[in-house]
Amino acid sequence: MQTVRHSEHTLKTALISKNPELVKQYEQLDPGEQRLLNEAFRPDSDLFGPITLHSPSDWIISHPEAPQDFEEFFSDLHRKSPSPGKQTIYIQCIGLLGNTRSISEEYLKWLKGYCEAFFYGLTVKLLEPIPVSATRCSFRINDSTRNLQIHAGQILTFLKKKKPEDAFCVVGITMIDLYPRDSWNFVFGQASLTEGVGIFSFARYGTDFYSSHYKGKVKKLERKSSSDYSVFDDYYLPEVSSVLLLRSCKTLTHEIGHIFGLRHCQWLACLMQGSNHLEEADRRPLDLCPICLRKLQSAVGFRLRDRYKALVRWIDAESTDTPRVTPKHSREELVTLPKPVEAFKEWKEWITRCLALLQK
């Protein structure tokens, strides 16, 4: 295992900047916020640690990128920021997310609530869910994994045409695997930062996707015409679990972060780290390091205390009347399922410690 460590001076400059105007802006934050953000360059911080690399296939090793500090982010004339009249994040669901319509709707509500807390101060709205056929996108069976895949780029084109006037961005989400072009195996997501649209798949986040018993394999693609999307009428959906929800929340907020202009983080362990594979994605924390948190705060304008409290409320606000299907993946039989937040327990404890430092 390799640890990526930066000096205290490097991290402090990345967070605060040497630009007198940005230094002054930082000094105007309340003392609690400065105290928390200063954890970025405290060598003994137990809230924010260094990035660890576990294999040559990890993102930083295989995708060298120039790091983005706060000053570079703030000075980027091309990045998107919410503006009066364009302060809404829209979520477009494509296909079902759960194995009944009721579960799919509830899952969408969970993701909406999470985004409202994470991007505190912005409005998040759900567009009416649509079937794959509404996008008119190409699709295929993956030669290796034998699962259904839909064309990410064509869905982006569809989303651009549907983007409401008051949208900061529109993000499509789906439980169907994606591919960007014929020569690629798959992609977790794809976005157009200039257009403010993205499409992200949670298909590979089910606990069984990489197992030999995965039930989403399709033997043969039978299609009567180019407009025949009947293969999606009963496509396989993973069982909703706490791990699936946590991974979905991570991906959604990471990718929307890119639309705000946050590049892959190379400073500290952070949600905005790049990931090449599921194991690396699972190692990323759920929240932002202080440097990326300051970037998002400057774009949205929230108080850190309010945002952290909203995230705790989302975790605590468990649903008690969510329908759940039987283990046989029936789309008819229903039982009750609370919002599965077991995987968020450790993160809640971390937020509580952040709040304690903010309010010290």
Side-chain angles (χ1 to χ4, degrees), residues 39 48 57 64 73 83 122 128 162 172 184 207 215 218 237 259 268 270 275 286 306 345 348:
E39 289 285 306
F48 304 99
S57 65
F73 169 83
S83 59
L122 296 186
E128 190 67 28
K162 279 200 67 175
W184 280 51
T207 53
K215 296 177 182 177
V218 180
L237 289 157
I259 296 175
L268 296 160
C270 178
S275 65
L286 260 168
D306 294 339
K345 182 180 178 183
K348 179 185 173 182

Side-chain angles (χ1 to χ4, degrees), residues 12 15 94 122 168-169 179 186 228 249 263 297 310 314 338 343:
K12 187 173 184 178
L15 171 68
I94 299 170
L122 296 186
F168 166 68
C169 66
Y179 72 102
F186 80 98
D228 180 12
C249 289
R263 298 211 298 264
Q297 183 190 36
W314 180 87

Side-chain angles (χ1 to χ4, degrees), residues 62-107:
S62 57
H63 293 81
E65 296 173 276
Q68 180 196 48
D69 59 20
F70 177 76
E71 182 176 343
E72 187 177 356
F73 169 83
F74 189 83
S75 306
D76 184 357
L77 300 176
H78 301 291
R79 69 178 173 88
K80 286 181 66 66
S81 288
S83 59
K86 292 187 181 292
Q87 298 202 4
T88 302
I89 296 170
Y90 282 92
I91 299 176
Q92 172 68 75
C93 182
I94 299 170
L96 293 176
L97 298 182
N99 45 20
T100 69
R101 189 167 302 281
S102 298
I103 284 189
S104 187
E105 290 172 354
E106 199 68 18
Y107 203 88

Side-chain angles (χ1 to χ4, degrees), residues 33-44:
E33 294 195 336
Q34 290 187 50
R35 190 162 47 242
L36 178 74
L37 295 174
N38 286 348
E39 289 285 306
F41 52 85
R42 273 192 56 215
D44 58 344

